[in-house]
Amino acid sequence: FINPALLERALTHPSSTAQEDSDNERMEFLGDAVLSLCVGQTLYERYPHWNEGELTQVKSAVVSTTSLARAGEKLGLRDVGRLGKGIPAHEPLPPSVYANLFEAVCAAVYLDSGMDAAKAFILRILGPEIRGIAENGREPNHKSELQQLAQKREGVTPHYRLVSSSGPDHGKVFEVVAVIGARK
């Protein structure tokens, strides 16, 4: 890193600092966009015969929390991340925390060295995931499938309503209802 402070901030989980604007949340936001662009461009270039729906399904699977958590774990981000006391050292790190750390690191690479460096980093880590999902069938995107089915059969787009949430901030569980017309 040209500016190591960028990486330090990317590895600073909100639970580890009370200082305002010193954690990685803003970098997660940017990293999500950088990841989406890099993976989207790669799929667009590698699979010119795929339609928008196919590209979207693979991109969604590649940039999912599950996939990004695997990437974060592979990089050993738990060992270098600044995590607060609310995340016990002896328990597995929640996938969302791994994914958020990975997104923030992608933003740090982008901010430090530009889009070409970010894309090279992302493809080095996620390249096997992209190939695996693209070649072995696309992981299902249930939300997208429901939307397509609702639009085809009912002529409406589903909307979603939060029913409840529980658990600690670093591992929340959400219950959501899908509403299609008058049906829940």
Side-chain angles (χ1 to χ4, degrees), residues 8 25 45 56 96 118 129 142 160:
E8 289 174 28
E25 287 186 315
E45 291 169 351
T56 299
S96 61
E129 191 90 10
H142 302 295
Y160 304 91

Side-chain angles (χ1 to χ4, degrees), residues 118-129:
K119 186 175 181 183
F121 170 73
I122 290 165
L123 293 181
R124 188 174 73 242
I125 304 303
L126 292 178
E129 191 90 10

